[in-house]
Amino acid sequence: VTSEGKLFTFGDGTFGALGHGDRISTNIPREVDALSGCRTIKTACGVWHSAAVVSVFGEATSSGKLFTWGDGDDGRLGHGDIESRLIPSCVTELDTTSFQQVACGQSITIALSVSGQVYAMGIADPSQDNAVRAPSCIEGGLGKSFVQEVACGFHHIAVLNAKAEVYTWGKGSNGQLGHGDTEHRSTPTLVKALKGKQVRKV
């Protein structure tokens, strides 16, 4: 993302994750023309899909609408289906929500609204058939505190709230959730080992 809010992508285009309207790979940065006239604020790359927070009117702002593109398996694009999108497409179900950040895992997209709400689409663990086809707001387990940051690993999610608390969920087989075990978690769970550590980033 440039200072003017232009988005450039490059790499493997097989799944349409570059957003150029085709499946062509490129080894030089290429502007995503579908977003010209808009201002990209944040972007994130999954394995086979991409996402961005975009100010559609082009004004310099720190929030915008959620756009996703690439491979749509598991509902990871948030359009309520499993279709691929070769150019950035606005997640219309969340059209009235203003976003500040987005993160992508393998089969999941996590978006953070300006009001500190976390929205998920897709699934954290593809071995479990519990795909969230349409975007859903994560209601429980986040400590009733404003969420400041979201992050995704391959199959897990971490969020940081305003109390400097970290919550994780998803696949835990390598201990990546930080709960002292290798169990999976289907709902956000407080990482107790980080309590009082004044975490600033996830």
Side-chain angles (χ1 to χ4, degrees):
V1 178
T2 70
S3 60
E4 294 178 328
K6 294 180 186 300
L7 178 64
F8 289 80
T9 60
F10 41 103
D12 186 349
T14 309
F15 295 95
L18 300 182
H20 300 301
D22 54 38
R23 296 178 183 273
I24 299 167
S25 297
T26 177
N27 56 14
I28 56 166
R30 189 172 152 201
E31 186 176 354
V32 178
D33 292 332
L35 292 176
S36 67
C38 301
R39 187 179 190 91
T40 300
I41 296 154
K42 299 272 184 173
T43 191
C45 296
V47 181
W48 300 295
H49 76 295
S50 304
V53 174
V54 177
S55 170
V56 291
F57 304 111
E59 71 264 14
T61 175
S62 60
S63 64
K65 297 192 183 307
L66 180 64
F67 283 72
T68 59
W69 62 99
D71 186 84
D73 276 1
D74 300 318
R76 64 176 72 112
L77 299 183
H79 300 294
D81 57 37
I82 56 169
E83 302 300 314
S84 293
R85 305 290 194 284
L86 298 182
I87 60 169
S89 302
C90 185
V91 178
T92 52
E93 189 164 320
L94 299 174
D95 199 37
T96 58
T97 306
S98 197
F99 290 94
Q100 58 176 317
Q101 199 205 336
V102 64
C104 298
Q106 180 184 344
S107 294
I108 197 160
T109 306
I110 300 290
L112 177 61
S113 75
V114 292
S115 59
Q117 290 182 300
V118 178
Y119 289 82
M121 44 228 93
I123 49 175
D125 180 3
S127 67
Q128 307 292 314
D129 187 26
N130 58 347
V132 181
R133 299 271 182 245
S136 66
C137 185
I138 306 294
E139 300 287 359
L142 290 173
K144 295 185 176 64
S145 185
F146 188 91
V147 173
Q148 292 182 315
E149 190 180 12
V150 294
C152 279
F154 213 55
H155 298 301
H156 73 294
I157 300 116
V159 304
L160 174 67
N161 71 14
K163 295 180 188 168
E165 294 173 329
V166 176
Y167 288 80
T168 62
W169 70 101
K171 212 167 181 176
S173 45
N174 297 305
Q176 65 265 49
L177 300 183
H179 303 301
D181 57 38
T182 54
E183 302 295 312
H184 303 342
R185 301 289 195 288
S186 58
T187 56
T189 306
L190 176 67
V191 180
K192 292 178 181 157
L194 290 174
K195 196 117 173 87
K197 298 281 193 278
Q198 295 304 307
V199 177
R200 292 179 61 193
K201 296 283 291 176
V202 287

